[in-house]
Amino acid sequence: MLKISIVIPFYNERIHLVSVINKIRSYQKECEIVFVDDGSTDGSYELVASEIKESKIHLLQLPVNLGKGAALLAGCDFSFGVLGASYVILMDSDEQHSIEDIQIFLNRIKQGDTLILGIRDLSEMPTLVSLVNSFASWFLQLLSGVNIPDIPSGFKAFDKEVFKLIQWDGGKYDVELVIARKIALKKIPFSTVSIRTIYHDYPRGMTALDGLKVVFRLMGF
Amino acid sequence: MSLFQIASLLFAILMAYVVRIHYKKNLISTSEASLWISMWMLFGFFSINPAILTGISSIFYFERVFDLLVVGAFMVLTTLLFFSYFKIKKMAESIEKLVIFVAVKNASQSQRK
């Protein structure tokens, strides 16, 4: 039986967390769920702690804000090391990833895929974000010859062996770029799944201003 | 002695005093403090006797002593920046590892309860 863990990092996400927890409860039969607080200051940690009573939902707390990369790393370390998971699914806590899409990843995991990347429809993204996104894929392909669509997407799944190959060292939102670079340069086989494109009306994650960061990160700086 | 020389000398004395404060607070070792004090004493000495540097300038084909000082200062600053960058990077990585370790340890302890 495959042990699957869903890792959800959060930082100051009070407005979305209760909804995420309520929706994700339905996956408890198949997965362990790991919430990772990245040093929130708005009481998000306390909120999650008060909401979860189930033994299959876990909560980690980083005492200081280290960035999404570090929170994901803590979640993966806990899942693979303590829970003995064979797979992890990473997703965001701000409801820009549809909880229902987890089933798509679970199906692919059952089929034996070891690295699954969630891909959104670029045409449904804000224009500037879509441009930076396309540029990142184009630039990485130029460097490595590997085409990874929708690099900034944080919705992905992989097994323990792949985790050892792509293990990143902390970082902020650019952790997705670091992972994509490792996948491309190490030529790790991956499959893609289409996921819903959800954008809130406030700026989050990558913006057009991150164009320069894309270049530096993908080059390994 | 020109006004610039006096300012340079005062600056060297001030910096030596800053080194002393750090030494008194046990933030730097005796050897580190000695090195920094020697450096600022040398700086003060050359401020009073810039003519000594004229000979060194000509060895390196600098026309003016000032050019030698600027190049020297840039070399020192770049070296310090370089070492500081790696030290901070290493420290950030250590803090990150420690924080993740503590978080995972706490969570696994509460898991066992």
Side-chain angles (χ1 to χ4, degrees), chain A residues 65-89:
Chain A
N65 176 241
L66 289 179
K68 187 185 177 186
L72 287 175
L73 207 53
C76 289
D77 279 352
F78 183 73
S79 299
F80 288 125
V82 178
L83 299 177
S86 42
Y87 271 88
V88 296
I89 299 172

Side-chain angles (χ1 to χ4, degrees), chain A residues 71-144:
Chain A
L72 287 175
L73 207 53
C76 289
D77 279 352
F78 183 73
S79 299
F80 288 125
V82 178
L83 299 177
S86 42
Y87 271 88
V88 296
I89 299 172
L90 309 181
M91 67 179 298
D92 293 349
S93 59
D94 57 3
E95 297 192 281
Q96 294 205 42
H97 291 153
S98 167
I99 304 285
E100 290 78 33
D101 285 346
I102 292 173
Q103 193 55 52
I104 306 172
F105 284 89
L106 293 176
N107 294 341
R108 285 299 186 92
I109 288 171
K110 283 168 192 164
Q111 285 171 23
D113 291 9
T114 53
L115 173 59
I116 308 135
L117 306 176
I119 307 298
R120 297 162 296 181
D121 185 351
L122 289 185
S123 63
E124 291 176 26
M125 290 180 188
T127 314
L128 280 175
V129 178
S130 166
L131 279 173
V132 177
N133 197 317
S134 304
F135 172 73
S137 296
W138 172 81
F139 191 67
L140 186 62
Q141 190 167 14
L142 192 75
L143 292 175
S144 66

Side-chain angles (χ1 to χ4, degrees), chain A residues 10-47:
Chain A
F10 63 89
Y11 173 68
N12 291 349
E13 288 290 354
R14 275 187 76 93
I15 48 170
H16 298 290
L17 279 167
V18 175
S19 163
V20 171
I21 294 167
N22 288 333
K23 286 181 191 166
I24 211 160
R25 281 197 164 104
S26 57
Y27 286 98
Q28 277 184 86
K29 284 180 189 167
E30 292 173 276
C31 312
E32 302 265 354
I33 296 148
V34 180
F35 284 93
V36 187
D37 171 39
D38 185 22
S40 294
T41 52
D42 69 342
S44 294
Y45 173 79
E46 290 75 15
L47 180 74

Side-chain angles (χ1 to χ4, degrees), chain B residues 26-95:
Chain B
N26 283 328
L27 294 171
I28 49 173
S29 66
T30 309
S31 49
E32 278 176 304
S34 310
L35 181 78
W36 282 109
I37 294 275
S38 312
M39 209 186 90
W40 289 116
M41 280 173 67
L42 204 67
F43 181 86
F45 177 74
F46 284 131
S47 305
I48 304 165
N49 309 289
I52 295 173
L53 288 174
T54 315
I56 303 171
S57 305
S58 58
I59 294 170
F60 292 107
Y61 301 103
F62 286 112
E63 283 189 18
R64 298 176 303 173
V65 172
F66 184 74
D67 295 340
L68 174 73
L69 286 174
V70 168
V71 172
F74 265 110
M75 282 170 73
V76 171
L77 279 176
T78 312
T79 310
L80 286 176
L81 202 71
F82 183 76
F83 282 109
S84 302
Y85 171 77
F86 286 107
K87 212 155 198 174
I88 290 169
K89 199 175 158 101
K90 198 179 169 192
M91 221 183 299
E93 278 173 16
S94 303
I95 291 169

